[in-house]
Amino acid sequence: MKVIIVTGTPGTGKTTLAKFLGKELKFKIIDSNKLIQQKNLCEAYDQEKDCQIVDIKKLNQYLIKKIKESKENLIIDSHFSHKLPKIHVDLCLVTRTELKTLHQRLKKRGYNPQKIRDNLDAEIFDLSLTEAQEANHDILIVDTTKKINKQELIQKIKEKLKIK
């Protein structure tokens, strides 16, 4: 069984990429945002940042349990997925987007100006990439600013995972 995690700043195309890869590679997708809501994996709500404060330890425990129970190949979609221990992950895809494009996407989602700024800062400082590197994940960076060469990406993933 193989596990791919898709991480990156909100608005960089994680979910779109995960859905595409799930369909193309025939991997089951775990949407961590849905899990967080369904399993009440939040500690609190941050009014100022307009977001849930996720209990990463509980989320990881739940995801690891799902990985161990699964007989299927998995894609885990979450901007927290890179916090999973490397031992449970075969490949980490980090989505990146140019700041102008990211700003437009977040504004379209209705994010408030401070939330947009926080996410732009996370992208500027490569937060997801840096944390994935610190966790020693095998990383493939995917720039989602423009149209992705999907077949080339699929080929790279198959090579990294040693699958046909």
Side-chain angles (χ1 to χ4, degrees):
M1 188 208 34
K2 302 289 183 182
V3 176
I4 298 173
I5 55 175
V6 182
T7 190
T9 305
T12 57
K14 292 178 302 300
T15 300
T16 301
L17 181 62
K19 286 178 180 176
F20 165 74
L21 293 174
K23 185 177 178 184
E24 288 294 310
L25 297 170
K26 296 177 179 43
F27 279 37
K28 179 182 176 186
I29 299 171
I30 296 178
D31 180 342
S32 292
N33 289 330
K34 286 182 183 172
L35 278 181
I36 289 165
Q37 298 305 318
Q38 291 170 350
K39 302 297 178 185
N40 195 25
L41 302 174
C42 294
E43 297 173 345
Y45 188 81
D46 186 328
Q47 294 288 344
E48 189 176 311
K49 293 187 178 187
D50 189 26
C51 67
Q52 299 282 348
I53 299 171
V54 176
D55 185 328
I56 299 296
K57 186 176 179 181
K58 283 183 183 175
L59 175 61
N60 279 351
Q61 287 172 343
Y62 192 82
L63 289 172
I64 290 166
K65 181 179 177 226
K66 289 294 235 185
I67 290 167
K68 288 179 176 179
E69 290 173 351
S70 182
K71 291 174 179 38
E72 299 176 82
N73 293 322
L74 299 173
I75 294 175
I76 299 173
D77 170 20
S78 170
H79 69 276
F80 299 115
S81 63
H82 60 273
K83 296 191 180 273
L84 272 167
K86 177 184 171 35
I87 193 168
H88 301 288
V89 177
D90 295 292
L91 181 61
C92 174
L93 303 181
V94 179
T95 54
R96 301 293 319 276
T97 303
E98 289 177 4
L99 296 178
K100 183 177 178 183
T101 302
L102 181 58
H103 186 272
Q104 291 169 341
R105 290 177 185 175
L106 298 176
K107 193 171 183 180
K108 189 176 177 180
R109 288 184 179 186
Y111 282 21
N112 68 47
Q114 185 58 51
K115 191 169 182 174
I116 292 172
R117 179 77 256 156
D118 290 346
N119 283 295
L120 289 174
D121 287 347
E123 188 69 2
I124 289 167
F125 293 112
D126 289 328
L127 192 59
S128 296
L129 176 60
T130 301
E131 289 179 354
Q133 289 168 329
E134 289 171 354
N136 294 314
H137 285 295
D138 182 9
I139 298 168
L140 184 60
I141 298 170
V142 182
D143 188 331
T144 64
T145 306
K146 297 182 174 76
K147 193 170 181 170
I148 298 168
N149 182 331
K150 293 177 178 177
Q151 292 314 311
E152 186 179 300
L153 177 60
I154 293 289
Q155 191 57 42
K156 282 182 187 176
I157 291 169
K158 286 181 175 182
E159 286 171 12
K160 284 205 168 263
L161 296 177
K162 295 176 177 65
I163 59 176
K164 293 182 182 183

